[in-house]
Amino acid sequence: MVNRAGQHQMALSDNERAFAEHRRVARLATADAAGTPHVIPICYALIGNCIYFVIDEKPKRTRHGLRRLRNIAENPRVALVIDEYDEDWSRLAFLLVQGHAATVTDGEEYATVLDRLRSRYPQYQAMPLLLATHPMIRITAKRHHMWRALPGGGAEREK
C-alpha cells in the first residue's frame, strides 16, 4: 500500500484503528543523527494508515526549532506508542507504530488533517493553526503491532 506522499505503508487492522481512535494521547519517540532519543506526548489524528500531529500554540520558545522537528529532519525514523493503562493489569494494552515521519507540505492534506485534529481536540478550534507557521508531521507506518493483556494472565499480540 502507498500513501498520498508516495511512501509504502503497512495497513492497520480494524482492531488497531479502533484502539487508536479511542485514545487521546500517544508518545512519540524520535532520535537525532547520533541516536540520542527524545520522547514526548502528542495529540494525534489517524487518517488512513498515517498518524498526524501539529505543532500548536501552547507556550514554546519556538515552533520550527523544536527537538522533535530537528530530530525528524536528521532522522525520519520514529516510533509511536498509544497505550491503555489500568490498575487492573488484565486491561493493559498498547499499539506500537514504527515508521517514517515527514513534514506535510500539501495545503489540502494539511486542511483535511487539521479538521480531524480540531474535531478530536476542541482546544485546537481556537488556535490559528496555519501551514506556514505551524508544522504538521505525517507518520507513515512501516511496522506495527498491538499487544493486549488477557484476563487471568497471559497476553495476546495481534498479527
Side-chain angles (χ1 to χ4, degrees):
M1 182 177 295
V2 177
N3 73 1
R4 65 191 298 171
Q7 299 168 330
H8 291 282
Q9 60 186 344
M10 182 175 256
L12 298 171
S13 71
D14 290 343
N15 287 339
E16 290 167 333
R17 296 180 63 71
F19 184 84
E21 290 288 348
H22 289 94
R23 302 305 174 289
R24 306 290 293 155
V25 178
R27 279 77 176 170
L28 172 70
T30 63
D32 62 19
T36 305
H38 181 68
V39 178
I40 58 155
I42 62 166
C43 295
Y44 64 92
L46 174 63
I47 298 180
N49 290 299
C50 293
I51 297 169
Y52 294 84
F53 68 94
V54 68
I55 305 303
D56 59 32
E57 287 288 327
K58 290 190 288 289
K60 298 172 178 74
R61 289 185 310 258
T62 176
R63 279 192 285 277
H64 292 278
L66 293 172
R67 178 170 300 205
R68 70 198 90 153
L69 297 179
R70 292 191 324 259
N71 285 355
I72 288 168
E74 292 178 19
N75 177 3
R77 292 175 297 171
V78 301
L80 187 86
V81 173
I82 303 168
D83 65 312
E84 178 68 31
Y85 179 81
D86 195 289
E87 293 299 327
D88 176 352
W89 284 9
S90 69
R91 296 180 184 169
L92 299 178
F94 71 83
L95 172 63
L96 170 64
V97 176
Q98 296 170 317
H100 181 272
T103 302
V104 172
T105 57
D106 177 76
E108 184 179 327
E109 181 181 10
Y110 190 96
T112 298
V113 174
L114 189 56
D115 284 346
R116 178 71 61 84
L117 285 165
R118 285 183 166 149
S119 70
R120 279 181 56 86
Y121 305 98
Q123 300 87 338
Y124 284 154
Q125 293 174 12
M127 293 182 191
L129 303 172
L130 303 170
L131 175 67
T133 57
H134 297 80
M136 179 181 287
I137 301 295
R138 173 194 331 100
I139 300 170
T140 302
K142 300 294 185 182
R143 294 183 55 201
H144 55 85
H145 75 268
M146 186 159 178
W147 177 93
R148 290 184 187 271
L150 294 174
E156 172 183 57
R157 180 178 173 184
E158 188 168 306
K159 300 195 185 334

